[in-house]
Amino acid sequence: MSCLLLENGLPDTIDGVPIYPDFRNMIRFEQILDDSSLSDVEKTLLGVRQLFEELPEGGIARATERLQWFYRRGQEVQRTEKKLGNGVQAYDLDTDAGCIYAGFLQAYHIDLTDIPFLHWWAFLALLENLPEDTAMAQRMQLRTMDLREIKDTKMREHYKKMQKQVALPEKTAARGKLVESMAERVKRRHAEARRELERRRQDGV
């Protein structure tokens, strides 16, 4: 686990290998995950290239594992950065792009199309803590609102309609599961390859 506020809280290397930690690279990584024309292997290889200048010791399996770690800001899977409040998906960097841009400009005077560099972890921290007077913060609050806590029937129906208006596409939920399984799939394939190599050695092939 890593903490944003501690020394070296914003990593620019992983396992001694320089990385590309700008927020745009992780947005591209999400776009790769959503690209149905790519195979899982292609998504893994392209995703790793978004972060690493060169593979760390341990090859693609280690790189995939560390990509997952960086993407989640060093957090455990259960503490994924996109879920706030009651655990519902709060935002999507593609669907909400315009609203996020406006929120950063309004709250922080940061033009995300012009800023030369913003660390992925810092970007997410700023996004998740946008002031309540920004449209993006209101959108996230609506999505994560637990309607069961609203006792008044009319108010509950009102917010239910508003939630539908800002609902995220289903791809966002599937993406999280894909990220979680990437490292495991690569590990499994490497293990299978090692077993096959060992079998061939034993058979004298």
Side-chain angles (χ1 to χ4, degrees), residues 84 107-108 124-132 137 140:
L84 307 175
Y108 309 125
L124 290 177
L126 292 172
L127 171 59
E128 293 172 0
N129 291 281
L130 281 168
E132 292 183 0
M140 291 191 290

Side-chain angles (χ1 to χ4, degrees), residues 110-125:
I110 294 176
D111 186 332
L112 291 174
T113 65
D114 185 55
I115 189 171
F117 174 83
L118 181 60
H119 197 284
W120 171 241
W121 293 11
F123 167 79
L124 290 177

Side-chain angles (χ1 to χ4, degrees), residues 40-106:
D40 287 348
V41 173
E42 290 173 323
K43 289 180 180 182
T44 300
L45 294 175
L46 291 172
V48 165
R49 288 177 185 170
Q50 291 302 315
L51 183 62
F52 287 98
E53 293 186 9
E54 59 185 64
L55 292 180
E57 186 176 346
I60 190 67
R62 177 63 175 175
T64 306
E65 181 182 290
R66 302 305 280 160
L67 168 62
Q68 181 187 32
W69 173 87
F70 181 80
Y71 178 71
R72 297 187 181 284
R73 286 178 291 177
Q75 297 178 355
E76 299 297 330
V77 171
Q78 296 89 334
R79 297 179 59 199
T80 179
E81 66 281 348
K82 290 194 170 190
K83 294 181 179 179
L84 307 175
N86 63 0
V88 175
Q89 193 87 5
Y91 58 85
D92 176 70
L93 300 178
D94 186 20
T95 303
D96 295 321
C99 204
I100 292 171
Y101 171 82
F104 271 65
L105 197 60
Q106 175 184 336

